[in-house]
Amino acid sequence: MSNLFFASAMLPDGWAEDVLVTTDQRGRIVSATPNAACPADAERFAGAAVAGIANLHSHAHQRAIAGMGECSGEGSDSFWSWREVMYRALDRMDPEDFEAVAAQLYVEALKAGFTAIAEFHYLHHDRDGSAYADPAEMSHRAVAAARTAGLPITLLPVLYNASGFGGTPPTAGQRRFIHDGAGFDRLTTTLRRAYGGSDDVRLGIAPHSLRAVPDGLLAETVAANPQGPIHIHIAEQRKEVEDCLAHRNRRPVEHLLDTQPVDGRWCLIHATHMTAAEAAAVAASGAVAGLCPTTEANLGDGFFAAESYMARGGRWGIGSDSHISVSPVEELRWLEYGARLTSGRRTVLAGGSRRSTARRLVEDAQAGGAQATGFESGRIAAGLRADLVVLDTDHPLLAARKGDALLDGWTFAGNTPLVRDVLIAGRAVVRDRRHPREEEIADRFKKTLGRLLG
Ligand SMILES: [Zn+2]
């Protein structure tokens, strides 16, 4: 058992002061006691503790090109022209490079207050498209990077089989992503052998999208993987909706719900373009909507109709996706600001009168992130992992604030990082804003980018 002592903490019943959290050997919370005395052997944290938020959608390799698609091309730039830039830049990335980029991202994610990451991983093969000797080579690198950083990871190997609806063959830029059903089985079997039962790794699957996985293969893959999270990109782009209507005579979310057993294991990434009926059906299914507001803004995807979805009790969480930003609070802020800009009102997602907007956003994102990653976390409560974030209550931006006002300050007041400490399974992996390996990891990252992009 170990003792952690926090000046204040957000517990399931509300804010409390002088909170003693005891954890077992695996870093699970045994008890959380308010108004406690601080035992002599306790590790003491001066700030305000909240359960961490899982980042439920990451393409780690895209961290290497964050901010590089911002120079206008000829004609109209879109998601699809950005994707060409991304494919070209990543053509040269080898396993060492990928691990260096992912480690840098994962340290950044931890320092920002993310306490787990779901890696929607599709860069599987060698540069010429052939499989590595170990088909899971790149996946092993994602886990190695996460372990270097100390960030729990949910590995979601991506099944990518076609370049468009109707089974169009993959393009040259997609040669490193492609699997058939047998190849994907080999990959998931290898991963289960390597990481099944690990405390810091969860395994799921990610059929890339309806356009990249034909219906029959999607059904077989879902049936062959009866456990763990299932994530899929869906209804991110209007063109995708139009193509799905043309080929399947239904909208993407409507088609998925009609053809797959969508339930709480599923995470529908983006789900931007839904009708009211589709949103109601997703909310009723128990699936999580995986929202990535900064990437969706950067790519011009559109606004998720958060107010009506949340009013129906829809579950959701946040991801930093392309990593144009790596910050849980920037994702939450953009979600609320999108709702304000479209409605002409304030505190749209607070969920009732006299409620803190950030409290609602943070609690929903904690719960949705835990569900979508499969880590038992998201609240400071007995039996759950002690994956916690400690806010810097000494910072001027949080001066004279308590309770939910700390969350509102953290979420809405500017861009200064306000996370001081981060604990994973009860151990501080970021202390006083520092990760013990951050310089070494950043050096390796910079050298890698020099080689890849220089
Ligand atoms: Zn994505």
Side-chain angles (χ1 to χ4, degrees):
M1 295 266 264
S2 53
N3 290 321
L4 307 165
F5 190 84
F6 303 96
S8 66
M10 188 175 98
L11 303 179
D13 293 340
W15 283 91
E17 297 195 350
D18 296 333
V19 177
L20 177 64
V21 173
T22 57
T23 59
D24 65 16
Q25 281 180 335
R26 290 170 64 218
R28 297 297 200 275
I29 296 169
V30 175
S31 61
T33 312
N35 306 314
C38 181
D41 67 346
E43 190 174 1
R44 201 178 178 122
F45 297 86
V50 296
I53 295 174
N55 186 333
L56 57 64
H57 192 60
S58 165
H59 306 293
H61 61 283
Q62 294 181 12
R63 174 63 185 81
I65 56 150
M68 285 187 65
E70 308 301 325
C71 182
S72 59
E74 286 167 28
S76 158
D77 281 311
S78 67
F79 168 88
W80 308 100
S81 55
W82 169 85
R83 196 179 69 161
E84 284 309 310
V85 172
M86 191 260 293
Y87 282 0
R88 277 199 304 275
L90 301 175
D91 241 16
R92 290 196 282 167
M93 192 175 268
D94 70 17
E96 287 281 312
D97 300 333
F98 173 64
E99 186 177 338
V101 170
Q104 172 68 16
L105 168 73
Y106 296 161
V107 168
E108 289 169 358
L110 273 167
K111 291 181 72 175
F114 285 120
T115 50
I117 200 153
E119 190 57 50
F120 196 107
H121 178 68
Y122 60 83
L123 192 64
H124 296 297
H125 307 313
D126 209 340
R127 292 184 223 167
D128 61 1
S130 61
Y132 288 107
D134 181 336
E137 173 70 34
M138 284 293 215
S139 304
H140 295 318
R141 299 298 185 137
V143 174
R147 286 180 168 165
T148 298
L151 179 66
I153 185 171
T154 299
L155 203 52
L156 302 166
V158 170
L159 174 59
Y160 206 116
N161 182 258
S163 70
F165 287 99
T168 341
T171 65
Q174 294 165 340
R175 67 191 179 281
R176 302 187 69 180
F177 317 158
I178 303 303
H179 280 107
D180 58 14
F184 191 70
D185 276 349
R186 276 195 294 281
L187 175 60
T188 52
T189 303
T190 306
L191 293 174
R192 272 197 297 275
R193 282 198 193 115
Y195 305 110
S198 303
D199 215 37
D200 57 345
V201 180
R202 296 286 177 277
L203 295 173
I205 55 167
H208 180 275
S209 55
L210 292 178
R211 70 174 183 273
V213 186
D215 281 353
L217 181 57
L218 177 58
E220 283 166 28
T221 306
V222 168
N225 290 274
Q227 278 166 359
I230 305 170
H231 291 216
I232 186 167
H233 288 130
I234 195 149
E236 176 179 9
Q237 293 285 322
R238 288 204 174 82
K239 179 177 182 297
E240 178 193 339
V241 177
E242 287 157 17
D243 288 353
C244 191
L245 277 165
H247 282 88
R248 311 269 161 86
N249 212 22
R250 279 184 294 211
R251 302 171 57 84
V253 171
E254 184 186 15
H255 183 75
L256 183 76
L257 292 170
D258 280 356
T259 54
Q260 295 300 323
V262 174
D263 59 14
R265 288 176 66 204
W266 287 71
C267 181
L268 276 49
I269 303 299
H270 306 300
T272 309
H273 300 287
M274 292 196 286
T275 61
E278 286 175 311
V282 173
S285 75
V288 172
L291 309 179
C292 310
T294 63
T295 293
E296 289 152 9
N298 187 268
L299 296 177
D301 290 343
F303 284 118
F304 179 80
E307 185 178 13
S308 59
Y309 178 74
M310 287 163 68
R312 292 185 169 99
R315 300 176 193 192
W316 61 276
I318 49 162
S320 56
D321 191 358
S322 70
H323 311 302
I324 190 69
S325 163
V326 184
S327 159
V329 291
E330 197 176 2
E331 300 302 332
L332 297 177
R333 189 188 310 155
W334 270 93
L335 185 64
E336 168 68 19
Y337 282 176
R340 291 185 191 189
L341 289 163
T342 47
S343 71
R345 290 179 287 116
R346 298 186 71 252
T347 63
V348 180
L349 304 180
S353 50
R354 300 187 182 283
R355 294 187 53 172
S356 151
T357 304
R359 172 74 178 261
R360 198 319 168 63
L361 295 173
V362 167
E363 281 189 331
D364 276 19
Q366 287 167 331
Q371 180 177 326
T373 54
F375 282 104
E376 310 76 21
S377 57
R379 287 178 299 135
I380 303 180
L384 300 185
R385 296 169 57 95
D387 295 344
L388 312 176
V389 166
V390 184
L391 301 181
D392 184 357
T393 48
D394 283 339
H395 193 283
L397 273 172
L398 296 182
R401 285 164 170 81
K402 281 193 164 193
D404 289 346
L406 291 168
L407 298 180
D408 285 324
W410 180 35
T411 304
F412 292 103
N415 294 314
T416 307
L418 296 171
V419 171
R420 186 158 65 197
D421 311 302
V422 180
L423 292 84
I424 297 297
R427 278 187 37 252
V429 294
V430 172
R431 194 60 151 126
D432 290 328
R433 299 169 179 271
R434 250 191 64 74
H435 185 284
R437 299 183 64 180
E438 63 183 58
E439 285 90 1
E440 160 210 340
I441 289 167
D443 276 351
R444 197 171 149 210
F445 174 76
K446 286 186 272 187
K447 285 190 186 112
T448 300
L449 257 60
R451 222 175 28 252
L452 285 177
L453 308 174

